[in-house]
Amino acid sequence: MTRNLFTRKLSSIQDEVLLLGSMVENAIINAVNSLKNRDVKLAKNVYEEDQNINGKRFAIENAILITIATQNPMAKDLRQLAAMLDVISELERMGDYAKGIAKVTLRLESANIKLPITEIETMVELAIKMLHKALTAFIEDDTQTASKIPYEDDMVDQLYNDVYHHAVDIMMANPQHVDDANLIIWVGHNLERLADRVTNICERTIFVSTGELMELEVDEDEDEFGLEEV
Amino acid sequence: MNTKISVSNFNLHYGSFQALRDVSVEIPENQITAMIGPSGCGKSTFLRSFNRMNDLITSVSISGTILLENENILELHPVELRKKIGMVFQRPNPFPKSIFDNVAYGPKAHGIHDKHELEEIVEKSLKDAFLWDEVKDSLNQSGLSLSGGQQQRLCIARTLAVEPDVILMDEPASALDPIATLRIEDLIQELKRKYTIVIVTHNMQQAARSSDFTAFFHIHEDRAGYLVEFDETQKIFTTPKNKITEDYITGRFG
């Protein structure tokens, strides 16, 4: 095996991508915990941590561009770097979803409504599991796992529907809580989108291996708001 | 896309040593085909076979066929063949003659002596080689007075002057600086409108940048060169089919 310098650079970028992934996972978990415990301090932490996530994403992007410019990667090497550019942008957007949920915590600080916390927590658990598996498959070049992960999204979609209906019930019972209940829908929406973006990472894993750009599991029933049967 | 040169089961030996084994490939017309591969894989030998430059080496024996538009090149007279298939070498090698005489040399050798006609050919060839504007006022100066990049374009003009169908280039830019290299690459792009171009290069970026098709050669355990993969350049450099090709172009050889 030659090209030791390139291999070292590539593996250090991969490490950074995984680090970014775990920063995003933590941000999401903290955001939902802040919501569950009405923990304003934790929500503010998530808010601030988003700056670090963005900074890390730009640092990785820079390292990838320098590697492309100086190392002339070809074929799979090039696809890996190009895919990582995509993956870090997905992760960064996931960080934004965490920030969005933290924002809801701050807005709901004194609101007196019951959250569908079990559904939300299950959504987070599933989404994080999907993300974790997708990043592992990406780094390990595991196309088999990558092509299965998007199917786990169905459960997340189902829970989103539950969250949505919970919020609608609140709105109908207490019209004065419409604004607050709407924020609950946003939390569900952010988590549902997060799981969708995991599918994009899986698509990149397949691209790295095969060179083919293809969409995994397009949900025909999904409308533009990501809601089913609404 | 028409095939310009069709090679079937081509084998070449230097004495008992086999340099090329069973090469079959179809070189498309009006396209740029790059041949890449490690040193000793036989790519230059293969290129030289197209205009029978290996004939001069007594120990060389060959089998298989190379057809230039259905004509077996082995049955053509070398002078006739080399009018159809011109060659540009690694180091610019202008004759120690004037710029004009360098370009007029080929047409003269092929029997054109009319001064006016020669002037026309020289002007057209130098224009096609993107050199005219730089030398039109100094056609009587020695070809050796030009810079390396200009000398290489002069050699290309010299090749164009006999109006070949095919131009073979054996690492035409390896002795040039990056700017002169890019000028040659631009020139090659222009030339493919009229000519079929086959280029041997050690510079993979050059093959990726400037060719339409790429042939990747490798060395067998017994040191014979063979063709591993031939495809559109875009495919060779993004999604090669063969693992050896992938290892070579990503620099993970051996």
Side-chain angles (χ1 to χ4, degrees):
Chain A
M1 168 88 86
T2 51
R3 297 216 71 176
N4 291 332
L5 178 64
F6 175 77
T7 310
R8 271 208 307 277
K9 281 179 188 288
L10 189 67
S11 101
S12 113
I13 294 172
Q14 283 177 331
D15 289 348
E16 291 296 299
V17 171
L18 286 178
L19 180 57
L20 178 64
S22 66
M23 285 166 83
V24 170
E25 284 176 18
N26 279 336
I28 296 157
I29 292 167
N30 286 338
V32 171
N33 279 339
S34 79
L35 185 69
K36 181 185 175 188
N37 303 320
R38 307 285 173 108
D39 185 341
V40 171
K41 198 173 160 232
L42 186 58
K44 283 182 177 159
N45 275 349
V46 173
Y47 226 77
E48 282 157 18
E49 177 66 7
D50 192 53
Q51 289 298 319
N52 295 334
I53 289 175
N54 295 351
K56 173 65 76 184
R57 178 254 170 119
F58 287 133
I60 298 173
E61 186 169 346
N62 200 33
I64 291 173
L65 291 176
I66 289 171
T67 305
I68 291 174
T70 56
Q71 299 291 318
N72 290 322
M74 290 285 188
K76 191 169 181 181
D77 294 338
L78 179 59
R79 291 200 296 279
Q80 223 160 355
L81 289 166
M84 282 198 278
L85 280 177
D86 218 75
V87 168
I88 58 172
S89 118
E90 297 293 347
L91 290 173
E92 194 261 331
R93 291 304 302 276
M94 292 180 193
D96 291 343
Y97 294 142
K99 187 178 162 188
I101 295 171
K103 206 170 170 180
V104 171
T105 304
L106 299 176
R107 295 271 296 271
L108 287 181
E109 191 189 351
S110 54
N112 182 26
I113 56 166
K114 188 178 175 295
L115 297 168
I117 205 69
T118 314
E119 288 86 347
I120 290 173
E121 278 191 313
T122 315
M123 279 182 93
V124 173
E125 202 181 301
L126 288 171
I128 295 285
K129 207 171 119 198
M130 284 172 71
L131 173 60
H132 203 86
K133 265 162 64 174
L135 282 177
T136 308
F138 179 74
I139 298 298
E140 290 177 354
D141 215 3
D142 179 355
T143 53
Q144 262 200 327
T145 305
S147 56
K148 284 181 196 147
I149 293 169
Y151 293 99
E152 297 174 22
D153 190 35
D154 292 350
M155 191 60 200
V156 179
D157 288 344
Q158 187 52 51
L159 286 161
Y160 176 37
N161 271 338
D162 296 346
V163 170
Y164 177 83
H165 291 300
H166 180 99
V168 170
D169 288 346
I170 293 175
M171 289 177 187
M172 294 203 318
N174 305 290
Q176 74 272 25
H177 286 151
V178 164
D179 282 349
D180 293 340
N182 189 37
L183 293 173
I184 295 173
I185 297 179
W186 271 106
V187 171
H189 176 76
N190 278 8
L191 293 172
E192 188 270 338
R193 292 298 300 140
L194 191 148
D196 278 351
R197 286 183 180 273
V198 171
T199 300
N200 299 344
I201 295 177
C202 296
E203 285 168 1
R204 295 294 140 175
T205 303
I206 290 166
F207 165 71
V208 171
S209 263
T210 65
E212 261 183 87
L213 290 162
M214 55 146 105
E215 276 202 69
L216 289 169
E217 202 224 16
V218 182
D219 192 347
E220 301 288 342
D221 297 325
E222 205 173 39
D223 71 15
E224 61 178 329
F225 300 107
L227 296 174
E228 289 173 344
E229 301 154 20
V230 175
Chain B
M1 210 174 301
N2 294 331
T3 296
K4 190 73 184 178
I5 300 175
S6 176
V7 184
S8 329
N9 304 105
F10 186 76
N11 290 278
L12 187 144
H13 288 81
Y14 291 111
S16 61
F17 166 64
Q18 182 157 20
L20 283 166
R21 178 179 294 127
D22 252 343
V23 180
S24 297
V25 67
E26 306 215 319
I27 307 288
E29 188 172 35
N30 291 107
Q31 298 287 312
I32 301 162
T33 299
M35 299 208 222
I36 60 167
S39 294
C41 70
K43 57 192 188 294
S44 287
T45 301
F46 189 54
L47 187 81
R48 285 200 303 269
S49 304
F50 288 2
N51 73 347
R52 287 174 54 189
M53 299 257 307
N54 298 320
D55 283 15
L56 301 170
I57 306 163
T58 46
S59 63
V60 165
S61 61
I62 58 170
S63 68
T65 53
I66 300 179
L67 301 179
L68 173 66
E69 284 186 335
N70 301 324
E71 265 185 303
N72 188 342
I73 64 150
L74 292 174
E75 288 163 10
L76 286 169
H77 189 278
V79 173
E80 189 55 31
L81 174 66
R82 287 170 202 161
K83 185 178 181 306
K84 292 183 175 179
I85 303 184
M87 182 134 180
V88 176
F89 296 90
Q90 185 171 5
R91 295 198 159 270
N93 54 351
F95 302 134
K97 290 169 173 282
S98 71
I99 292 168
F100 185 95
D101 285 342
N102 262 282
V103 183
Y105 186 88
K108 277 185 189 167
H110 288 286
I112 299 171
H113 295 291
D114 179 75
K115 189 169 172 283
H116 185 65
E117 195 179 345
L118 284 173
E119 278 170 0
E120 272 183 12
I121 292 173
V122 168
E123 180 173 341
K124 187 174 177 303
S125 305
L126 286 169
K127 277 182 175 165
D128 283 352
F130 287 176
L131 188 58
W132 176 251
D133 288 342
E134 292 159 59
V135 301
K136 63 185 175 195
D137 299 322
S138 51
L139 293 175
N140 291 323
Q141 267 187 29
S142 166
L144 295 168
S145 67
L146 299 172
S147 72
Q150 288 173 324
Q151 287 188 17
Q152 192 62 306
R153 279 178 283 144
L154 178 64
C155 293
I156 292 173
R158 188 174 67 189
T159 305
L160 301 181
V162 296
E163 297 188 313
D165 292 342
V166 179
I167 301 173
L168 309 175
M169 296 187 171
D170 193 354
E171 299 200 45
S174 64
L176 306 180
D177 71 37
I179 301 297
T181 298
L182 290 175
R183 295 201 66 162
I184 296 286
E185 288 177 13
D186 282 348
L187 170 59
I188 294 170
Q189 291 299 323
E190 287 300 314
L191 293 176
K192 80 168 190 180
R193 293 163 196 252
K194 295 183 192 167
Y195 309 94
T196 298
I197 293 164
V198 187
I199 175 170
V200 162
T201 177
H202 264 298
N203 180 341
M204 279 195 293
Q205 293 301 321
Q206 181 170 59
R209 274 197 302 266
S210 52
S211 70
D212 303 303
F213 287 84
T214 297
F216 169 61
F217 287 79
H218 187 37
I219 314 164
H220 193 262
E221 277 169 10
D222 66 2
R223 292 182 52 223
Y226 68 104
L227 178 65
V228 177
E229 194 167 342
F230 175 83
D231 210 331
E232 286 171 33
T233 295
Q234 202 181 304
K235 287 190 184 150
I236 294 281
F237 285 96
T238 55
T239 45
K241 293 192 188 82
N242 199 296
K243 172 139 194 336
I244 304 172
T245 315
E246 169 108 18
D247 285 350
Y248 184 72
I249 60 160
T250 56
R252 292 195 171 75
F253 223 44

